[in-house]
Amino acid sequence: MKETWLVLLEQFKNLNIIHRLAKYEEKSTFQAHILGNVWQILDPAINIAIYWFVFGIVLYGNKPMDGYSYVAWLLPGFIAWQFMRAEILGASRSMVSRVQMVSKMQFPVSTIPSMTLASQLINYWWMLGISMVIMIGYGVRPSLYWLQFIYYFVCMIAFLYALGLVTSTITVVVRDFHTLLNSAMQLMFWVSGTIFNFNANATIKQHPMIIHVIQINPFYYVINGMREAFLGTGWFYHDIKSIIIFWSITLMLLILGSHIHLKFRSRFIDYI
C-alpha cells in the first residue's frame, strides 16, 4: 500500500501540470484536420447513429428499453464506453508515445496516464452534454437519480487510472501488449452491455451464471450504473455485492499498477 500512496500523492502534487499538458494535447490532436475539434463530437455521433439504426431500428424495431426509446437507453452507456475505450487504449501507449517527455522533463512519469485521462475527459464532457439534450428530447427528465452520476463518474475515473497504470507499464516492457489489449477491448464492447440490454434478453435470463459473470465485469458496472442514474431505474446501493466486487478489482489493479510502475520506471528509457 505504501507504493500506492506514493503514486497517488504524485498525482495530487502535479495536478496543475497534468491539466496544462492535457489541454495542450487536446488542442494539438486535430490541429491539422480541416474540421478541427469538430471531429471530437462528429466521430462518436456517427457511431451512435450507426448503432441506433442497426440495433435500435433494424434489430429491436424501436422497441422501448426500460420504458424509454432505444436511443435514450443507448446514450448514457455508449458515451461512457467510448470514453473508457479511448482512455484505456490511449493510456496503454501514453509512455511509449511520449518518450521525449519521459527522457527530458523532470516530473513523475506516473502522471502521464493521468494526462491521457484528463485529455479524454474534455471530449467526454462535450458528448455527455449533447447526449443529455438528446435524452431530454426523447422524454428523459432530470430527477434525484441523476445525482448518482457523481458516484459512477468517480468509479469510472478510479478504475481507468488504475487500469491505465497497469497497461502503460506493461506496454513499455512488452510492446505487443497494446495490440492484444486492442483486441480485448473489442470483446469487452460486446459483453459489457454497451448496446445490448442483457436484463431484457430471454435467452440470457435462462442462464443465471452468465448474468453473474457479466456483472463481475467492471465495464458493465459503470455502463449499467450510468443508465440507472440517467434513466432513474435504480439506486447504486441496491446491489452491495457488485459494489464490493468493483472496488476490490479497482483496488487490486491500483496496487498492482503502482508496484510494477515503481519497479520498472527507472528503466523506462532503456525499454523504450
Side-chain angles (χ1 to χ4, degrees):
M1 288 297 292
K2 183 179 179 181
E3 295 172 323
T4 302
W5 285 117
L6 175 61
V7 169
L8 290 177
L9 188 61
E10 289 176 345
Q11 311 311 303
F12 289 111
K13 285 184 176 180
N14 294 277
L15 282 176
N16 188 42
I17 294 176
I18 293 171
H19 176 68
R20 284 190 287 124
L21 290 177
K23 287 188 68 176
Y24 171 78
E25 183 176 274
E26 186 267 338
K27 288 181 180 179
S28 63
T29 300
F30 297 99
Q31 194 171 22
H33 294 70
I34 295 176
L35 294 180
N37 291 341
V38 173
W39 280 110
Q40 296 175 346
I41 300 172
L42 191 59
D43 183 54
I46 292 173
N47 286 328
I48 289 172
I50 292 172
Y51 287 115
W52 167 72
F53 177 76
V54 173
F55 292 94
I57 303 298
V58 177
L59 185 61
Y60 289 120
N62 211 23
K63 182 177 68 176
M65 294 286 181
D66 294 332
Y68 296 96
S69 67
Y70 181 79
V71 67
W73 178 90
L74 173 71
L75 282 171
F78 188 84
I79 295 304
W81 166 258
Q82 286 285 91
F83 168 62
M84 289 191 288
R85 179 186 179 279
E87 155 56 19
I88 289 170
L89 294 179
S92 175
R93 288 191 54 82
S94 59
M95 295 187 191
V96 174
S97 61
R98 294 172 177 81
V99 59
Q100 293 183 341
M101 186 182 297
V102 173
S103 61
K104 295 180 180 179
M105 295 184 68
Q106 296 298 316
F107 64 91
V109 291
S110 66
T111 59
I112 292 181
S114 296
M115 293 175 195
T116 305
L117 182 58
S119 178
Q120 293 295 338
L121 264 177
I122 298 172
N123 302 340
Y124 176 70
W125 292 129
W126 275 103
M127 285 309 305
L128 180 64
I130 294 172
S131 298
M132 289 172 67
V133 172
I134 296 173
M135 285 189 289
I136 290 173
Y138 275 89
V140 179
R141 294 293 176 260
S143 67
L144 287 176
Y145 287 101
W146 282 31
L147 295 175
Q148 295 179 106
F149 169 78
I150 299 172
Y151 167 73
Y152 286 111
F153 179 76
V154 171
C155 290
M156 184 167 63
I157 296 301
F159 171 68
L160 288 177
Y161 178 74
L163 184 58
L165 196 59
V166 174
T167 59
S168 61
T169 303
I170 296 177
T171 301
V172 170
V173 181
V174 183
R175 206 63 58 86
D176 293 341
F177 178 77
H178 180 77
T179 303
L180 178 63
L181 181 64
N182 190 35
S183 298
M185 292 305 296
Q186 293 180 34
L187 173 63
M188 284 293 108
F189 174 77
W190 298 104
V191 299
S192 298
T194 309
I195 55 177
F196 295 121
N197 188 349
F198 293 123
N199 295 322
N201 190 296
T203 303
I204 293 181
K205 279 185 175 181
Q206 296 175 2
H207 301 85
M209 183 58 67
I210 296 178
I211 294 293
H212 292 321
V213 172
I214 290 173
Q215 291 175 343
I216 293 174
N217 181 355
F219 293 99
Y220 175 82
Y221 181 77
V222 172
I223 290 171
N224 188 60
M226 288 294 186
R227 287 201 175 105
E228 288 186 344
F230 283 107
L231 302 183
T233 56
W235 289 98
F236 73 94
Y237 52 75
H238 72 86
D239 190 352
I240 300 299
K241 182 179 178 181
S242 294
I243 294 176
I244 295 173
I245 292 173
F246 174 83
W247 284 108
S248 296
I249 292 174
T250 301
L251 182 59
M252 286 189 291
L253 286 172
L254 184 59
I255 293 172
L256 173 63
S258 301
H259 174 70
I260 62 175
H261 174 84
L262 294 176
K263 180 179 180 179
F264 288 104
R265 77 173 174 182
S266 61
R267 290 176 283 167
F268 277 169
I269 298 302
D270 297 330
Y271 282 112
I272 295 175

